[in-house]
């Protein structure tokens, strides 16, 4: 379709100024299932390159690029003002965002401003008004029909195939909005720097739990991860105990992952943790407690002391 079409979904793009968050590719797939054209918005203090990269994603027909010093850090109070401005001019029927910290920060405020109820963490699209999502930490599936004039949706990326990252040629349009945010200020972001794959998009994830006993023992997992080309994650218990930073947390209140291989080391398998990783293709559990709930979802289980098993795995890889 061309021209102004009320059936266009709009999706705010998540980026670091240049690179588009891989979860965006999954959200684009979800957006294309709604029918109609898909537009994207990229907002930030330096995001022209991210806008150009977003325009390469097949399925997107138009990219709005909002660049302003007031958008540094992509603070919700500022980004939502841009979204509202674009929405008022285009009357989108659906606005989708990644089911990440970014999306979960933006859309609730957008919902309050538009007086509609956001639909969070969808795993399926039945129609342009009916969506599937999980409840009770993934133990039940809920089908939701919305009659709101604008559907605000966050997408669980692991439930949708990723769109290709290039091959498209969307038009880009620079937009400017009068941003007035006296409620919050971006100061800095302290992020863990690592050469390992990004946790949410890695093909292999090795996660540690309370069974590792302290942060120093996570070095074993880092060494194993480096030999396997894996990302490292953690349970909430390990994060709460101060073993590792919170950006490694996998689970209902952390990151949702669905790698080809998930190795759970010293993790009992609380329901909140399982909600974040049980869609993994193959799950391997290492725990000395044979009754640990993690073994109920694992494809391969090893009842053994992790302090014996992990070094043996490292040695085995070195011998190959």
């Amino acid at each position: 379709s061309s021209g102004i079409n009320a059936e266009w979904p709009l999706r705010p793009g998540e980026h670091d100024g240049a690179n588009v968050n891989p979860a965006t590719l999954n959200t684009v797939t979800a957006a294309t299932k709604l029918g109609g054209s898909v537009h994207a918005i990229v907002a930030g203090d330096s995001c022209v390159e991210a806008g150009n990269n977003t325009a390469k994603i097949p399925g997107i027909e138009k990219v709005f690029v909002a660049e302003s010093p007031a958008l540094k850090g992509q603070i919700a109070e500022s980004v939502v003002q841009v979204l509202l401005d674009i929405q008022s001019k285009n009357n989108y029927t659906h606005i989708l965002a990644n089911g990440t910290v970014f999306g979960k920060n933006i859309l609730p405020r957008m919902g309050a401003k538009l007086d509609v109820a956001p639909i969070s963490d969808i795993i399926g699209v039945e129609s342009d008004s009916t969506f599937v999502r999980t409840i009770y930490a993934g133990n039940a599936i809920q089908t939701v029909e919305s009659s709101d004039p604008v559907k605000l949706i966050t997408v669980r990326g692991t439930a949708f195939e990723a769109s290709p990252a290039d091959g498209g040629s969307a038009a880009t349009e620079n937009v400017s909005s009068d941003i007035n945010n006296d409620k919050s200020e971006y100061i800095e972001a302290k992020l863990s720097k690592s050469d390992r794959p990004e946790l949410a998009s890695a093909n292999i994830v090795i996660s540690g739990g309370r069974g590792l006993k302290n942060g120093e023992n996570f070095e074993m997992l880092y060494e194993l991860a480096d030999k396997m080309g894996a990302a490292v994650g953690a349970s909430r218990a390990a994060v709460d105990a101060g073993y590792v930073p919170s950006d490694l947390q996998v689970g209902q209140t952390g990151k949702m992952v669905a790698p080809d291989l998930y190795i759970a080391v010293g993790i009992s398998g609380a329901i909140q943790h399982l909600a974040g990783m049980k869609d993994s293709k193959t799950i391997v559990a290492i725990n000395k407690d044979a009754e640990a709930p993690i073994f109920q979802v694992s494809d391969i289980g090893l009842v053994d002391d992790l302090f014996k098993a992990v070094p043996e795995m490292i040695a085995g890889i070195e011998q190959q």
Side-chain angles (χ1 to χ4, degrees):
S1 57
S2 59
I4 296 299
N5 183 328
E7 293 302 319
W8 279 334
L10 174 72
R11 59 158 323 281
E14 187 172 352
H15 62 90
D16 62 4
N19 302 303
V20 178
N21 187 307
T24 297
L25 301 176
N26 306 87
T27 302
V28 169
T29 298
T32 57
K33 292 180 180 295
L34 294 167
S37 304
V38 178
H39 291 181
I41 174 168
V42 175
D45 64 320
S46 177
C47 61
V48 171
E49 187 177 350
N52 292 335
N53 287 331
T54 301
K56 296 176 184 176
I57 301 173
I60 295 180
E61 294 196 9
K62 189 174 187 178
V63 179
F64 295 104
V65 179
E67 189 173 82
S68 166
L71 293 168
K72 186 174 183 179
Q74 299 172 317
I75 294 173
E77 288 83 352
S78 299
V79 173
V80 167
Q81 291 181 42
V82 177
L83 285 174
L84 289 170
D85 192 24
I86 293 174
Q87 171 64 11
S88 68
K89 296 172 182 173
N90 294 279
N91 295 316
Y92 293 104
T93 54
H94 300 77
I95 300 176
L96 292 82
N98 301 341
T100 58
V101 172
F102 169 81
K104 293 172 183 176
N105 187 34
I106 300 292
L107 284 204
R109 184 173 183 83
M110 191 74 178
K113 293 291 186 180
L114 295 176
D115 194 26
V116 300
I119 304 166
S120 62
D121 229 22
I122 67 164
I123 61 170
V125 176
E126 298 278 308
S127 71
D128 61 2
S129 62
T130 307
F131 311 95
V132 181
R133 58 189 297 273
T134 61
I135 55 175
Y136 299 120
N139 280 312
I141 304 294
Q142 181 183 59
T143 302
V144 180
E145 183 175 9
S146 172
S147 58
D148 283 332
V150 182
K151 279 74 171 174
L152 301 184
I153 301 165
T154 59
V155 176
R156 180 178 293 188
T158 57
F160 295 89
E161 289 292 323
S163 165
D166 53 46
S169 55
T172 59
E173 178 182 328
N174 295 325
V175 294
S176 59
S177 298
D178 185 16
I179 300 168
N180 179 23
N181 175 20
D182 57 2
K183 296 180 177 65
S184 59
E185 177 186 1
Y186 175 82
I187 298 176
E188 64 176 337
K190 292 185 177 180
L191 303 173
S192 301
K193 289 183 170 59
S194 174
D195 293 329
R196 298 183 192 94
E198 206 277 321
L199 179 57
S201 57
N203 290 324
I204 304 173
V205 173
I206 302 172
S207 288
R210 204 196 318 254
L212 279 140
K213 297 182 179 176
N214 58 53
E216 289 74 32
N217 289 331
F218 261 81
E219 291 300 327
M220 281 193 306
L221 299 194
Y222 296 142
E223 183 179 355
L224 179 60
D226 290 340
K227 293 186 181 303
M228 297 181 69
V232 173
S235 68
R236 178 169 179 170
V239 170
D240 287 350
Y243 300 170
V244 291
S246 60
D247 56 351
L248 297 189
Q249 183 176 323
V250 173
Q252 187 177 18
T253 53
K255 293 180 178 175
M256 301 285 179
V257 301
D260 294 331
L261 174 62
Y262 187 90
I263 303 176
V265 181
I267 293 175
S268 62
I271 187 173
Q272 291 84 0
H273 184 77
L274 300 183
M277 47 65 73
K278 65 182 181 182
D279 290 334
S280 304
K281 308 296 185 293
T282 301
I283 299 171
V284 176
I286 302 172
N287 200 302
K288 64 182 180 181
D289 178 10
E291 303 300 319
I294 190 73
F295 289 122
Q296 295 176 14
V297 298
S298 65
D299 300 287
I300 301 170
L302 175 61
V303 181
D304 203 350
D305 184 348
L306 69 89
F307 294 104
K308 172 174 167 282
V310 173
E312 287 177 352
M313 292 173 68
I314 294 170
I317 293 171
E318 290 173 341
Q319 289 171 9
Q320 289 183 355

